[in-house]
């Protein structure tokens, strides 16, 4: 099940990431993040999957939609921020 627009926005907030940060880590354009969070009906499921996978790799756990109640996103206690994909090891 794909996360909701609200869950993606909340997960990004928990990580302290901007839309630009999430887009960079996911290898997408910032507009894709914006449109996903806006709940644009034309957004591709592959875009949502890429964002969800990136957030999960950063330590986010998506819980099923709670039927209209506040969506819940949890951050693992052993969270280690991913390396900047633009940085390469020296050498």
């Amino acid at each position: 099940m794909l996360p909701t627009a609200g869950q993606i926005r909340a997960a990004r907030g928990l990580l302290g990431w901007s839309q630009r940060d999430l887009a960079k880590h996911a290898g997408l354009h910032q507009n894709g993040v914006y449109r996903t969070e806006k709940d644009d009906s034309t957004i591709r499921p592959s875009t949502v999957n890429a964002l969800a996978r990136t957030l999960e790799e950063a330590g986010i756990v998506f819980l099923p939609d709670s039927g209209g109640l506040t969506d819940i996103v949890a951050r693992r206690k052993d969270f280690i921020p991913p390396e900047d994909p633009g940085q390469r090891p020296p050498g």
Side-chain angles (χ1 to χ4, degrees), residues 4-86:
T4 66
Q7 285 178 311
I8 294 214
R9 193 170 34 256
R12 184 174 58 77
L14 278 175
L15 294 171
W17 287 359
S18 66
Q19 288 182 347
R20 180 177 292 169
D21 294 333
L22 177 54
K24 185 166 76 172
H25 286 293
L28 300 171
H29 190 276
Q30 183 178 346
N31 189 45
V33 177
Y34 169 78
R35 289 177 48 225
T36 299
E37 291 184 356
K38 188 179 172 194
D39 208 10
D40 185 330
S41 63
T42 64
I43 200 74
R44 294 179 184 163
S46 61
T47 299
V48 179
N49 278 325
L51 295 173
R53 187 172 46 255
T54 299
L55 292 164
E56 287 168 344
E57 288 171 359
I60 297 297
V61 178
F62 291 101
L63 302 176
D65 186 355
S66 54
L69 299 175
T70 303
D71 293 332
I72 299 168
V73 185
R75 182 173 168 181
R76 294 192 323 229
K77 290 182 182 180
D78 61 343
F79 168 74
I80 299 172
E83 291 183 28
D84 184 339

